[in-house]
Amino acid sequence: MTQYFIDVILPVPIQKTFTYAVTETEANFIKKGMRVAVSFGKTKMYTGLVFDIHQTAPTLYEAKEIHQILDEKPIVNELQLELWQWISNYYMCAFGDVYRAALPSAFLLESETIIYKNEAFSEESVLTDEEFLIFEALQHQSQLTIHQVADILGKKKVMPIVNELIKKSVVYIKEEIYETYKPKLVKYVRLHANYASENALNKLLEHLSKAKKQREAVLTFFQLLTTKKPIKAKDLEIKANVSSAILKSLVDKNIFEFYHIQTDRISFKGDTNSLKKLNEFQGKALTEIKDAFKEKEVTLLHGITSSGKTEVYSKLIQEVLNKGKQVLFLLPEIALTTQIITRLQSYFGNQISVFHSKYSMNERVEVWNNVLENKTKSQIILGARSSLFLPFSNLGLIVVDEEHETSYKQFEPSPRYNARDAAIVLAKMHKAKIVLGSATPSLESYFNAQQKKYGFVVLNRRFGNVQLPKIELIDIKEKHRKKEMNGHFSDRMLKLITEALEEKEQVILFQNRRGYSPVIECKTCGVSPQCPNCDVTLTYHKYKNELRCHYCNYQRAMPNNCGACGSNTLDTKGFGTEQIELELKELFPDFKIGRMDLDTTRGKFGYQKIIGAFEAKEIDVLVGTQMLSKGLDFDNVSLVGILNADSMLNFPDFRAHERAYQMMVQVSGRAGRNKKQGNVAIQTYNPYHQILQQVSTTNYTEMYKEQLQDRWQYKYPPYYRLIKITLKHRDFNKVDSGVNWLFKALYHSFGEHVLGPTAPTVSRIRNQYIKNVVVKIPPKQSLTNTKKQLQKIKNTFEAVKEFRPIRFIIDVDAY
C-alpha cells in the first residue's frame, strides 16, 4: 500500500519542516500552501502550512497523522514560499519564524490561543449549534482557550469552528482592541461666491440694514477673516453673539455657506480621477526611470524634499495597473500612510488597500484574502514593512518610499529582515520593477547606483520651483555665555518663531526625545533613579507625574525626595518634547501648541487626529520626535526648528553621521513647501561640525564621499558585510563566559574580522544582560560559506550544556 506524506512548516522557531502522514484522498485534495491542524509535542496543537506532498516516510521518527485540513484552497502561493525561503536563508532565521511573521495571527490558531467574545455581536440566529455552545460559554466566562473549547464540544477537531466564529466576528483573538474613530466633522463658515466683489458686499450690507443680528454676524465674520484661519460656525456665533438660527437663515439666503473640514480635505484636490500633470523635471525623471528599467530591475530616484516624487510614482503605478498587474507601495512609518492614502485615493479611488499593524486582525485578514484573489480593490497595496508578505500573484512594480529609513529593518522578533532588500528580491521573483525613492538615499543604495548596479535618476527641483529653505546654525554655547537663552530657546529661535506666527504661518519644532526630561538627579548626593530591570535612568513624564523606562515600560510615581539620601532637592536634566511643549505654552499663551510623539499617537487613529488638526490649521506650533521627519506635507509651515542637533551626532554607531544628516535634511524639508522659501534654524553647541555644515548647504554628495572614505578606512558597509551576534541571559557570568567562548571560536575561523566582545550602551534590558560580537565579511569572501561556518559554531555553542539557556541571536546586515 502506498503511503502519503506532507511536509509542514510550523510556527515555531525551528529551521526544518516536519513530516506528517495523510490518507490518499487527503493527499489528492491537499495543495501546497494550505493550512492543516497538527499536533506537535505532547499536547500542543498548531496550524501548520503544507510545504510539500510526497511519498517518502521520515527516517528518524514515526509520522503522526494530521487532525484536519483547514482550507478549501491554498492561502499562500509558491512565490511567497520562495521569498520565505530566501529570508530564512539570508537572514539565518528559522523557517517557522518567517511563517509566523508573514501570516496575520487569525490564521495561526494553536491550542494556547485565547478567544474573547466580541461585545458588539448580537445576531445569534446565524450560528450553528456547536458555535452557539461556545457563544453561550463565553457569556459566563470572559475568555476560553482552544483547549477549553475542545472540552466543551467534547471533540478534538475544533479549529474550523473557531475559524468560523472569527469570520462571523463573534469572537476575536487576543490583540489590542482599537478605538473606532469617527472623524469629528467641524462646521465652518465661508462667504458665498456671489459676494466676492466689493460692489456686491456694499449692496449686501445695505440689504441687511434692517436685520440687525444678521448684519452683526456678517461684520463679525469679516473681523475674523483677518486671522486667515478657517472660521468655525461655533466661534462666529459666540463672537457675534447670535444664535445658530441666524447663521442658518444667512445660509438659506445664499449669503453664507457651511462646509466641513474633514470631508473638505479631499474635495479640493480637483478632479479625482485624472493624475496631475507632471512639470518638465518630473516628466524628465519619469522618462529616465523608464529608460533605466529597460536594462536594470532597480532604479534609485534621488529627489530632493518636496520635488513631487509621489506624482512620479503615481504615473508609474497607472502604467502598471493598465497592464493588469499589482503594485506594492512600501512606506517606513504608519504616520505617513495617512497623508499618502488621501493623495493616492484621489487618483486611484478604491483600488487601494492598506496593510499595517495598526489595523485590526479582521481587516488584515480581509486584505490578505483580497490580494490572494487578486480583487480590483487591492491592486495597489500601501503598507509598512510587513506588507511584503502578502500573497501577490502578479506584481508589476514595487515602490520603496524613503528607502533610507531605519524602520524598514526589523530587529525584534525574528525574522530580522530589511524590507527594502527583501523587496528587491521579491521584485526579481515576480520579474517586476522596483523604484527606491529618497531625498537622502542610504549610502548603500547610492553606492550601488554609482557602481551601475541600479539605475539612477535625479530630481533636483522642488515642485513649483519653490527654493529650498534657508538653513541657519545657531551657536548655543555662545548664547549661553551671553545669557541669551530663554529655557531651551535661543533669542534668535524665539524671534523666528514669533515672526512666523505673526504671519499666520505654522512652525514645526523637532526634539528627538519624548517625555519631560531623561534624567532626574539629586543635587545633594548626585544619585539618579534607575530602572530596576534595565541599565538606564528613568525618564520623567510630567503630564502623568511619573518616572518611566522607555525600554521595558516600567513606571512608578515621581518621588518627593531622593531614595538614596532623603533630601528633597531633585532636579531634572536634559529635555524632551513634553518639556518643550510646556515651555512654549508659557512663551506663547495665545497660540495652540501640539505634540506628536509615541505618547500622543497611541491607538489606531492617533496620527490622523494630530495630522488632521495641523492641516486644518488648528495647531500653530507642532513639537515632535523623528515621526515628523518622514515625508509629511504641510503647505503652511514656514519655519522648522531643531532644538539640539548634537544629541544625534554624538552617538556610538558608525552610521550616526549619515543618520543625523538624513534626519536633519528630512526635517528641514518640511519647511516652505508651498509658495515662499521657508526657514530652518538648528541649535547646536558645535556649529563647525562637518555634518552640520553639509546640512546647511544640503550637500549630499559631499557627505556621501566623506562618509564613504571613513567606511573604506574602517571596513564597514557598503564594502564589508556585517553580521551581529547577540547573547542574552539573566545571569551576567553565564553570558560573559559564553561570549568569550564564542569569540575564540569565531576568531579561530575569521581572524581579525571579528570585533568584540562588547556590551552595548544599554547593557541590560528587562533583566537580561546583553553582549555582542560582530563578524565583518570582506568584499571577496563568500557570504554563503561564512554563514555555514557560523551555523556550525552556533550548533556547537548550543550543544554545550552551560550555554544552552543563553539566547543566541544572529542579525545579518544588522545596521
Side-chain angles (χ1 to χ4, degrees):
M1 185 187 128
T2 337
Q3 281 182 298
Y4 291 89
F5 297 97
I6 55 170
D7 288 345
V8 170
I9 313 167
L10 291 174
V12 289
I14 293 174
Q15 193 57 49
K16 299 198 294 285
T17 54
F18 291 87
T19 308
Y20 284 83
V22 288
T23 62
E24 188 173 347
T25 39
E26 283 174 332
N28 291 333
F29 178 73
I30 288 178
K31 291 189 184 64
K32 205 170 163 172
M34 283 185 179
R35 289 172 310 153
V36 289
V38 294
S39 57
F40 181 68
K42 283 182 182 150
T43 54
K44 287 199 174 172
M45 288 277 290
Y46 284 107
T47 304
L49 192 80
V50 179
F51 185 66
D52 204 5
I53 304 149
H54 57 87
Q55 293 178 350
T56 331
T59 47
L60 298 171
Y61 53 93
E62 182 78 22
K64 291 185 190 173
E65 288 182 2
I66 62 168
H67 277 280
Q68 77 245 25
I69 303 168
L70 295 174
D71 294 309
E72 299 284 314
K73 51 182 191 286
I75 62 158
V76 170
N77 61 38
E78 304 244 350
L79 284 162
Q80 277 175 290
L81 290 171
E82 213 179 306
L83 178 72
W84 295 4
Q85 266 179 305
W86 179 83
I87 288 180
S88 159
N89 293 337
Y90 185 84
Y91 291 104
M92 297 182 74
C93 59
F95 211 166
D97 280 340
V98 187
Y99 167 46
R100 171 157 248 153
L103 261 73
S105 42
F107 285 145
L108 290 174
L109 296 177
E110 42 193 84
S111 45
E112 260 66 78
T113 304
I114 297 174
I115 61 170
Y116 298 80
K117 71 164 184 249
N118 176 8
E119 299 293 349
F121 178 80
S122 56
E123 305 163 41
E124 295 165 29
S125 53
V126 298
L127 302 180
T128 63
D129 293 351
E130 287 183 323
E131 288 168 1
F132 185 75
L133 273 176
I134 298 169
F135 175 70
E136 206 174 33
L138 279 170
Q139 304 301 326
H140 305 299
Q141 257 168 308
S142 59
Q143 56 184 64
L144 294 170
T145 63
I146 304 264
H147 259 319
Q148 290 169 311
V149 172
D151 294 343
I152 292 170
L153 297 177
K155 63 186 213 179
K156 263 191 177 167
K157 299 190 176 183
V158 294
M159 299 267 199
I161 298 168
V162 178
N163 264 327
E164 273 305 304
L165 287 168
I166 292 173
K167 270 189 201 147
K168 292 179 180 171
S169 302
V170 185
V171 299
Y172 63 88
I173 295 176
K174 182 67 189 154
E175 57 165 327
E176 292 175 67
I177 282 297
Y178 297 110
E179 50 190 317
T180 45
Y181 168 56
K182 289 208 167 38
K184 201 165 88 205
L185 291 177
V186 184
K187 200 191 272 181
Y188 287 86
V189 182
R190 60 183 164 212
L191 200 60
H192 198 283
N194 303 349
Y195 296 103
S197 68
E198 258 185 52
N199 202 0
L201 280 178
N202 293 332
K203 278 190 183 154
L204 167 67
L205 291 172
E206 276 170 33
H207 171 65
L208 290 177
S209 56
K210 299 230 168 49
K212 257 209 174 104
K213 283 281 189 194
Q214 294 185 7
R215 185 187 161 98
E216 190 59 34
V218 175
L219 289 170
T220 313
F221 173 81
F222 285 113
Q223 274 175 340
L224 289 174
L225 204 58
T226 54
T227 62
K228 289 193 180 145
K229 284 188 184 175
I231 298 169
K232 291 185 186 169
K234 201 90 201 123
D235 292 352
L236 184 57
E237 287 167 24
I238 295 165
K239 273 268 165 44
N241 194 11
V242 295
S243 67
S244 53
I246 287 178
L247 284 194
K248 194 169 175 330
S249 59
L250 281 167
V251 172
D252 294 340
K253 286 184 178 173
N254 279 343
I255 294 169
F256 280 163
E257 55 186 8
F258 288 143
Y259 66 104
H260 295 92
I261 213 110
Q262 188 70 32
T263 47
D264 199 57
R265 286 218 334 250
I266 303 169
S267 61
F268 59 67
K269 288 278 197 303
D271 186 22
T272 43
N273 310 336
S274 60
L275 297 180
K276 277 191 190 161
K277 232 176 118 46
L278 300 186
N279 63 22
E280 54 171 319
F281 305 104
Q282 290 170 314
K284 185 163 162 275
L286 182 66
T287 329
E288 286 177 10
I289 292 175
K290 285 196 224 158
D291 289 346
F293 276 158
K294 285 175 188 157
E295 292 153 30
K296 310 241 181 5
E297 304 296 305
V298 190
T299 297
L300 174 64
L301 170 62
H302 181 192
I304 59 170
T305 52
S306 185
S307 56
K309 293 189 283 291
T310 315
E311 264 52 54
V312 179
Y313 299 149
S314 307
K315 283 279 198 244
L316 284 168
I317 291 172
Q318 189 60 62
E319 290 181 14
V320 173
L321 291 182
N322 293 345
K323 293 180 193 156
K325 295 196 157 197
Q326 297 166 312
V327 177
L328 171 61
F329 195 125
L330 284 175
L331 292 157
E333 179 73 67
I334 298 169
L336 258 179
T337 52
T338 51
Q339 269 198 336
I340 291 210
I341 291 165
T342 357
R343 217 185 270 180
L344 290 182
Q345 258 172 354
S346 68
Y347 303 147
F348 302 111
N350 50 7
Q351 291 174 296
I352 300 184
S353 293
V354 183
F355 188 86
H356 57 64
S357 58
K358 281 270 204 294
Y359 273 82
S360 76
M361 186 107 62
N362 292 341
E363 289 171 304
R364 277 183 294 187
V365 170
E366 222 165 86
V367 174
W368 181 283
N369 291 332
N370 291 342
V371 175
L372 188 63
E373 290 156 28
N374 201 355
K375 288 200 176 151
T376 42
K377 64 168 127 186
S378 55
Q379 289 304 297
I380 306 173
I381 296 293
L382 241 153
R385 56 176 183 240
S386 55
S387 49
L388 265 186
F389 292 119
L390 286 165
F392 297 105
S393 45
N394 61 344
L395 263 179
L397 172 73
I398 301 180
V399 176
V400 184
D401 197 21
E402 309 293 345
E403 63 85 31
H404 62 277
E405 269 301 334
T406 41
S407 352
Y408 279 128
K409 176 83 169 90
Q410 162 123 343
F411 292 106
E412 272 302 315
S414 161
R416 298 176 175 76
Y417 64 100
N418 183 325
R420 177 197 61 207
D421 302 347
I424 292 174
V425 174
L426 179 66
K428 209 178 200 148
M429 290 172 180
H430 280 271
K431 299 190 175 45
K433 302 295 183 196
I434 177 165
V435 186
L436 310 176
S438 170
T440 51
S442 59
L443 284 186
E444 285 77 359
S445 300
Y446 201 79
F447 180 74
N448 282 332
Q450 298 296 330
Q451 301 284 322
K452 301 281 183 278
K453 208 167 139 188
Y454 298 171
F456 182 57
V457 178
V458 180
L459 183 55
N460 53 10
R461 286 293 183 91
R462 285 189 126 181
F463 193 78
N465 272 344
V466 183
Q467 286 179 303
L468 278 169
K470 287 203 292 284
I471 298 179
E472 62 177 282
L473 301 171
I474 301 169
D475 183 349
I476 41 181
K477 190 157 84 191
E478 189 68 5
K479 297 281 183 197
H480 272 294
R481 203 173 54 80
K482 292 184 177 164
K483 305 226 172 353
E484 289 175 337
M485 293 292 286
N486 185 343
H488 294 102
F489 296 95
S490 56
D491 56 347
R492 176 75 187 135
M493 180 74 90
L494 286 174
K495 184 168 179 276
L496 288 167
I497 296 176
T498 317
E499 280 172 10
L501 292 175
E502 280 169 0
E503 289 283 318
K504 309 279 182 290
E505 288 158 346
Q506 291 166 294
V507 179
I508 286 181
L509 293 178
F510 175 80
Q511 166 57 14
N512 211 4
R513 246 302 168 49
R514 63 194 171 99
Y516 181 82
S517 127
V519 180
I520 298 283
E521 189 180 78
C522 168
K523 280 187 182 168
T524 314
C525 66
V527 168
S528 303
Q530 297 275 341
C531 171
N533 315 318
C534 309
D535 201 356
V536 286
T537 54
L538 293 169
T539 303
Y540 173 44
H541 284 245
K542 191 165 192 168
Y543 173 63
K544 288 193 169 162
N545 197 30
E546 64 180 14
L547 296 176
R548 186 183 282 172
C549 168
H550 286 176
Y551 287 87
C552 68
N553 270 336
Y554 165 84
Q555 53 209 46
R556 59 180 243 217
M558 170 74 180
N560 296 328
N561 44 21
C562 169
C565 70
S567 90
N568 55 4
T569 52
L570 291 177
D571 189 24
T572 61
K573 278 195 163 21
F575 62 104
T577 44
E578 209 180 282
Q579 188 165 347
I580 296 300
E581 181 191 21
L582 290 170
E583 273 184 30
L584 282 168
K585 280 183 176 160
E586 279 176 24
L587 292 165
F588 301 101
D590 306 339
F591 293 96
K592 185 95 170 64
I593 314 291
R595 170 163 65 98
M596 180 161 154
D597 54 29
L598 210 60
D599 303 313
T600 59
T601 53
R602 301 206 183 273
K604 183 169 171 184
F605 296 97
Y607 299 113
Q608 262 151 316
K609 289 176 184 169
I610 295 171
I611 290 173
F614 196 61
E615 278 181 334
K617 306 189 179 49
E618 285 167 17
I619 295 177
D620 299 300
V621 182
L622 186 58
V623 184
T625 54
Q626 62 190 15
M627 288 179 181
L628 284 177
S629 65
K630 320 264 172 88
L632 293 167
D633 186 6
F634 303 114
D635 52 11
N636 194 35
V637 174
S638 66
L639 171 69
V640 167
I642 295 174
L643 294 170
N644 182 0
D646 309 307
S647 59
M648 291 183 267
L649 291 167
N650 310 330
F651 219 68
D653 175 2
F654 72 91
R655 273 190 206 282
H657 286 178
E658 178 194 352
R659 293 216 176 120
Y661 175 87
Q662 288 166 341
M663 201 176 286
M664 282 189 261
V665 169
Q666 290 285 353
V667 174
S668 350
R670 305 304 121 226
R673 296 176 74 96
N674 201 357
K675 301 285 184 293
K676 68 180 235 208
Q677 189 179 16
N679 286 317
V680 176
I682 300 177
Q683 295 191 155
T684 166
Y685 284 98
N686 181 6
Y688 300 105
H689 193 293
Q690 93 260 15
I691 285 288
L692 291 173
Q693 292 295 328
Q694 286 154 3
V695 169
S696 66
T697 53
T698 325
N699 193 336
Y700 180 83
T701 32
E702 192 181 309
M703 185 276 304
Y704 166 75
K705 282 179 189 147
E706 206 164 281
Q707 293 300 316
L708 208 59
Q709 207 159 353
D710 282 359
R711 302 281 179 90
W712 174 247
Q713 196 177 342
Y714 299 114
K715 302 183 173 155
Y716 277 116
Y719 300 106
Y720 280 59
R721 286 272 177 68
L722 297 186
I723 295 182
K724 178 166 120 187
I725 299 169
T726 306
L727 300 185
K728 289 185 178 181
H729 193 264
R730 297 177 78 93
D731 179 349
F732 178 78
N733 295 335
K734 223 180 206 127
V735 178
D736 205 43
S737 57
V739 83
N740 289 332
W741 181 95
L742 180 66
F743 177 74
K744 284 185 192 120
L746 289 168
Y747 194 81
H748 189 70
S749 295
F750 304 114
E752 79 267 17
H753 290 311
V754 185
L755 307 182
T758 56
T761 344
V762 181
S763 59
R764 181 176 60 112
I765 294 179
R766 300 195 170 149
N767 277 326
Q768 303 262 349
Y769 288 94
I770 304 169
K771 289 276 182 167
N772 293 330
V773 177
V774 173
V775 179
K776 287 183 172 178
I777 306 168
K780 297 278 183 286
Q781 186 175 314
S782 149
L783 196 59
T784 332
N785 295 343
T786 309
K787 285 181 184 166
K788 274 188 189 145
Q789 186 57 30
L790 262 181
Q791 193 59 50
K792 271 187 198 155
I793 293 174
K794 179 181 183 213
N795 294 344
T796 321
F797 180 89
E798 285 173 343
V800 179
K801 191 163 161 267
E802 299 83 274
F803 297 160
R804 209 167 295 146
I806 300 177
R807 255 190 87 191
F808 191 112
I809 298 168
I810 298 182
D811 194 350
V812 180
D813 297 344
Y815 295 100

